[in-house]
Amino acid sequence: MPLLFYISSVIAILATIMVITRYSPVHALLYLVVSFLAIAVIFLSLGAPFAAALEVIIYAGAIMVLFLFVTMMLNLGKQTALQEKEWLQPKVWIGPSLMAFALLAEMIILLLRPESVAMPFAVVTPRQVSMSLYGEYIIAVELVGFLMMTGIVGAAHIGKHKKKNLHRFLQT
Amino acid sequence: MSSIHAHTVLIVAAILFVLGLAGALIRRNVIFMLLSIEIMLNAAGLAFVVAGARWQQPDGQIMYLFILAMAAAEVSVALALVLQIHHQHKTLDIEQLKELKD
């Protein structure tokens, strides 16, 4: 089990590095799918099979396919990749990434400060999760329902193409 | 190496979060910025699941579920915005979309 975890976390980090350095959006999306699948394996090795299944089905399956469809609708071709290559000069990315990695180093030092705790290997079953979800967290489930409803209405309203057909009396 | 330590998993989550942050800072295309935000949300979910597994409570996975629902709603609205921006401005460059004219 630890070996599974180490291999999949290395794959997740490498695939994420590939995501933020690709020029073509479709390549980045496919690497991100690989990264999400590796994170699903991490969840499985931590004893969270329900979260692993949701990661594969919703993140890698639904959200990434939505991104892929939008990328296909926008018809971003070779010209976009060339423009990205032009934008991604070292003088652009070296400052922000150095600062981000300084923050990462600080966070790792802080995380390594307390003494290490071994993870207990026990599976949190989907039954436990759903009992707790529909028991004590029921109000949060209803709020998430509101949020999803708002998301649907907002996406349908924003994504609508406005027709420019005026009434025949208003046409000049 | 006989068992996974809680440090290791949290460090992996921190690395993924920082990679997403760096991606959001260095890219100029709106689609890549959205992808980086997805990476950051996913790293936060990984940290929640690790905390849930550490104390063997289902709450971590429940928070992960809420993050998942929030990410789905956010992505649908943001992609509709991207389609509309591309329709109106014919570009996805964040530098050219900074004006709030009209």
Side-chain angles (χ1 to χ4, degrees):
Chain A
M1 276 302 177
L3 192 64
L4 200 67
F5 165 74
Y6 289 117
I7 294 173
S8 53
S9 51
V10 168
I11 291 174
I13 292 169
L14 288 181
T16 310
I17 291 173
M18 295 299 269
V19 170
I20 64 171
T21 53
R22 289 306 92 186
Y23 301 131
S24 161
V26 179
H27 295 174
L29 280 169
L30 294 178
Y31 274 114
L32 193 55
V33 170
V34 173
S35 165
F36 284 162
L37 293 179
I39 292 175
V41 178
I42 293 178
F43 286 163
L44 205 58
S45 68
L46 289 176
F50 188 54
L54 283 178
E55 176 92 18
V56 173
I57 295 170
I58 297 182
Y59 253 119
I63 297 181
M64 285 303 112
V65 170
L66 200 64
F67 264 104
L68 204 58
F69 279 157
V70 169
T71 314
M72 286 154 100
M73 277 174 75
L74 295 181
N75 202 7
L76 304 168
K78 194 166 282 182
Q79 195 195 351
T80 315
L82 287 177
Q83 203 178 21
E84 284 288 322
K85 196 169 182 177
E86 196 179 311
W87 285 342
L88 210 61
Q89 300 289 341
K91 71 175 166 51
V92 176
W93 61 258
I94 208 144
S97 47
L98 274 182
M99 287 182 203
F101 283 102
L103 287 177
L104 174 66
E106 286 182 0
M107 193 183 278
I108 286 176
I109 289 169
L110 282 179
L111 280 176
L112 288 178
R113 183 66 64 79
E115 63 189 67
S116 100
V117 181
M119 299 282 286
F121 187 74
V123 177
V124 179
T125 58
R127 178 186 162 80
Q128 276 172 282
V129 176
S130 47
M131 291 298 277
S132 182
L133 188 64
Y134 288 101
E136 49 197 321
Y137 284 100
I138 185 69
I139 185 75
V141 173
E142 290 173 3
L143 288 175
V144 164
F146 284 168
L147 180 69
M148 301 295 271
M149 185 73 205
T150 322
I152 290 172
V153 173
H157 178 72
I158 294 171
K160 188 170 58 183
H161 284 257
K162 292 189 181 59
K163 290 209 178 105
K164 286 287 170 60
N165 292 338
L166 294 174
H167 192 269
R168 60 197 161 91
F169 289 160
L170 295 175
Q171 284 173 352
T172 54
Chain B
M1 180 83 53
S2 59
S3 66
I4 308 169
H5 287 264
H7 287 164
T8 324
V9 200
L10 284 176
I11 287 173
V12 170
I15 290 173
L16 288 175
F17 189 89
V18 165
L19 283 175
L21 178 65
L25 289 174
I26 66 179
R27 302 308 291 249
R28 278 175 67 184
N29 194 325
V30 180
I31 289 186
F32 280 100
M33 296 178 78
L34 282 177
L35 283 182
S36 307
I37 291 171
E38 288 304 305
I39 295 170
M40 284 196 275
L41 284 174
N42 207 14
L46 176 60
F48 270 117
V49 172
V50 173
R54 163 71 181 79
W55 281 282
Q56 298 173 26
Q57 295 292 320
D59 305 67
Q61 292 189 48
I62 287 169
M63 282 300 153
Y64 174 73
L65 259 171
F66 293 152
I67 288 178
L68 201 67
M70 196 269 287
E74 174 247 337
V75 156
S76 58
V77 174
L79 285 178
L81 271 173
V82 166
L83 277 180
Q84 202 62 264
I85 286 169
H86 191 75
H87 186 70
Q88 287 187 0
H89 296 265
K90 306 287 178 221
T91 180
L92 290 178
D93 184 5
I94 203 78
E95 294 277 321
Q96 294 183 20
L97 302 174
K98 62 188 175 189
E99 286 128 16
L100 276 177
K101 195 178 70 177
D102 278 336

